[in-house]
Amino acid sequence: MKNPFEKMPTILLADEIIDKAFRRAEKAASAFTPRGNIVSKARQREELRIRTVSNVIRDNLRKVLNRTPGVSTLPSFYQELLDTLVDKRMFHKALASINWAVKTIRTLEERYVEKVRYSRDPKEIARLRREFYGRVASILKDINDNLEYLNKARDVLKDMPVIDLDLPTIVIAGHPNVGKSTLLRRLTNAKPEIATYPFTTKGINVGQFEEHWLRYQVIDTPGLLDRPLSERNEIERQAILALKHLGKLIIYIFDPSEYCGYPIEEQMHLFEEVYREFGGFPFIVVLNKTDIANEDKIREVEEFLRERGVESLRIAAEKGLGIEELKKRVIKIIKPEMEAIVHNMGRIEGE
Ligand code: GDP
């Protein structure tokens, strides 16, 4: 799946739309040669102006509506992200106000065309058309805040991470510098896509790998799962919720060498928090940098994990040690689940 906001167009503001529509109406009117008596000519010309202004404005607004996915149609991962980034309710309200404007302008168009057709006075006909212009302009001014809001939202949303929601996803967690991105590179295609992720300054790392004809996705969200929960703000909490919708498995990394700058006790503390936060998720815990770590420290972490009933695996991501074994464990956990899903889908289709 692609970023659902990829096709969202740049959004013109009220003044720009009004200018464009009035200009187009003048052009159309000057290119048009009405026939008949003076009243009939006035009617035709003003009707053309009214229709053109209405069409240009509604086309512009409808384009925004058509190319922006409705909030409720989005997969829950993107709904959470949307809320995190731009506030789901505001976004919905802005789209609803555009929809309202489209309908109202259409109604006014019909009403004013009717009035123009029934009027017998060229001056009155011109006045009606000006009145229509005025009302339409004021409708657009009414929704201008919403247009501005959507434009800002678009700038954020079109940079949302391109994450394939259909792939089984593995989330990497652990303190900064423990080796998350090194491991991600080792596990996946050499050059993971680094998508920008507006609530972390560092971007989200996404990579994929294929094994036994199944594709897996690995993501690393710097700044998100690498600090104690109490330090997180509301936005980050929501982003974590988004991860819960997406992830199938957590790979948690310890750095027993402590070269990352976090003493082992602190790493244990964070692990307990993430473990609790993602209760019910399968975890694979790896001890990284075993090429330089002190054996006593490694054993200390292993003991800590064993007491909690958690198996761990020694790796050295930079040298590629233990990676094959890690992949095997990942697949052992995820594959049965994926097969069950595929199997169930087959049953549903076969019914
Ligand atoms: P992240 O912040 O968790 O993504 O950590 P990085 O992947 O950027 O790694 C932090 C530092 O640790 C980098 O300088 C890596 O080269 C180094 N590093 C990662 N894995 C290993 C390893 O297995 N052994 C050693 N000695 N260094 C490693």
Side-chain angles (χ1 to χ4, degrees):
M1 178 167 176
K2 291 191 175 148
N3 176 348
F5 297 96
E6 196 183 53
K7 291 212 168 71
M8 224 177 138
T10 25
I11 292 154
L12 298 182
L13 299 182
D15 285 343
E16 296 167 310
I17 301 179
I18 294 167
D19 274 0
K20 189 174 164 184
F22 289 1
R23 249 185 294 118
R24 288 269 291 279
E26 283 327 295
K27 219 172 146 186
S30 60
F32 174 65
T33 324
R35 288 162 192 274
N37 62 26
I38 188 163
V39 175
S40 168
K41 280 181 176 164
R43 281 181 188 150
Q44 290 168 45
R45 187 172 286 120
E46 300 307 4
E47 177 173 343
L48 179 66
R49 283 184 168 132
I50 291 172
R51 296 250 188 243
T52 309
V53 161
S54 169
N55 282 338
V56 171
I57 295 174
R58 285 183 303 117
D59 281 353
N60 265 275
L61 298 181
R62 264 201 310 254
K63 194 171 79 187
V64 175
L65 294 177
N66 292 342
R67 297 209 199 151
T68 306
V71 177
S72 59
T73 66
L74 291 171
S76 36
F77 172 74
Y78 278 115
Q79 286 201 28
E80 297 292 352
L81 266 192
L82 183 75
D83 214 15
T84 306
L85 302 175
V86 299
D87 187 334
K88 204 156 68 178
R89 275 204 328 268
M90 282 283 287
F91 190 77
H92 183 76
K93 188 181 140 263
L95 289 176
S97 80
I98 292 188
N99 196 30
W100 166 81
V102 170
K103 287 198 175 129
T104 312
I105 290 170
R106 176 77 182 146
T107 310
L108 283 177
E109 173 193 340
E110 290 309 327
R111 198 181 302 157
Y112 276 85
V113 163
E114 183 124 324
K115 284 185 185 176
V116 161
R117 283 184 186 168
Y118 281 99
S119 174
R120 295 170 184 284
D121 173 7
K123 272 199 185 133
E124 171 65 6
I125 291 171
R127 191 197 63 76
L128 283 167
R129 190 264 304 162
R130 281 196 302 274
E131 191 175 293
F132 173 76
Y133 273 25
R135 294 190 66 174
V136 163
S138 100
I139 288 173
L140 282 173
K141 296 225 160 91
D142 277 352
I143 64 163
N144 195 44
D145 284 353
N146 293 301
L147 293 171
E148 261 173 24
Y149 178 80
L150 282 176
N151 224 0
K152 281 201 204 108
R154 172 190 180 265
D155 288 342
V156 174
L157 294 172
K158 68 179 176 23
D159 285 337
M160 282 218 299
V162 181
I163 287 175
D164 192 330
L165 299 176
D166 299 325
L167 290 182
T169 299
I170 298 145
V171 178
I172 303 187
H175 268 114
N177 292 318
V178 295
K180 293 187 297 295
S181 54
T182 307
L183 178 65
L184 185 120
R185 276 196 301 276
R186 279 281 170 199
L187 278 176
T188 64
N189 41 355
K191 260 182 74 187
E193 177 180 353
I194 313 288
T196 51
Y197 207 35
F199 42 76
T200 79
T201 46
K202 297 173 187 166
I204 183 173
N205 305 331
V206 189
Q208 296 181 358
F209 71 94
E210 210 173 297
E211 197 84 32
H212 293 92
W213 304 284
L214 269 180
R215 280 175 87 71
Y216 301 86
Q217 178 169 256
V218 186
I219 65 176
D220 161 30
T221 53
L224 217 50
L225 294 179
D226 56 11
R227 273 173 309 137
L229 265 177
S230 53
E231 291 174 16
R232 294 203 198 102
N233 60 31
E234 186 54 29
I235 285 176
E236 290 164 335
R237 284 175 172 277
Q238 275 168 335
I240 289 170
L241 209 63
L243 280 183
K244 284 187 182 171
H245 285 295
L246 188 69
K248 289 268 176 289
L249 167 72
I250 312 278
I251 296 181
Y252 192 92
I253 309 188
F254 275 94
D255 174 5
S257 78
E258 299 180 330
Y259 269 91
C260 63
Y262 298 90
I264 221 59
E265 295 73 31
E266 224 174 290
Q267 295 186 46
M268 289 168 171
H269 179 69
L270 180 63
F271 169 78
E272 288 197 310
E273 287 211 346
V274 175
Y275 197 55
R276 212 176 310 126
E277 177 76 31
F278 284 81
F281 268 73
F283 266 71
I284 294 180
V285 180
V286 296
L287 276 53
N288 190 30
K289 304 191 193 175
T290 51
D291 54 327
I292 54 167
N294 173 320
E295 181 65 25
D296 289 345
K297 285 279 179 197
I298 297 178
R299 293 233 172 102
E300 194 185 332
V301 181
E302 284 173 340
E303 188 53 36
F304 162 84
L305 292 167
R306 207 171 296 124
E307 281 167 9
R308 282 152 187 80
V310 180
E311 282 280 324
S312 60
L313 175 69
R314 296 184 182 195
I315 64 166
E318 205 162 51
K319 293 188 174 158
L321 299 176
I323 302 300
E324 283 314 305
E325 175 59 26
L326 176 58
K327 267 193 187 174
K328 268 191 208 147
R329 291 198 190 183
V330 166
I331 288 158
K332 201 168 154 201
I333 291 176
I334 292 191
K335 207 174 171 206
E337 193 182 334
M338 293 317 291
E339 281 172 351
I341 292 172
V342 171
H343 183 72
N344 284 339
M345 269 164 42
R347 275 218 326 247
I348 291 163
E349 277 163 16
E351 269 167 9

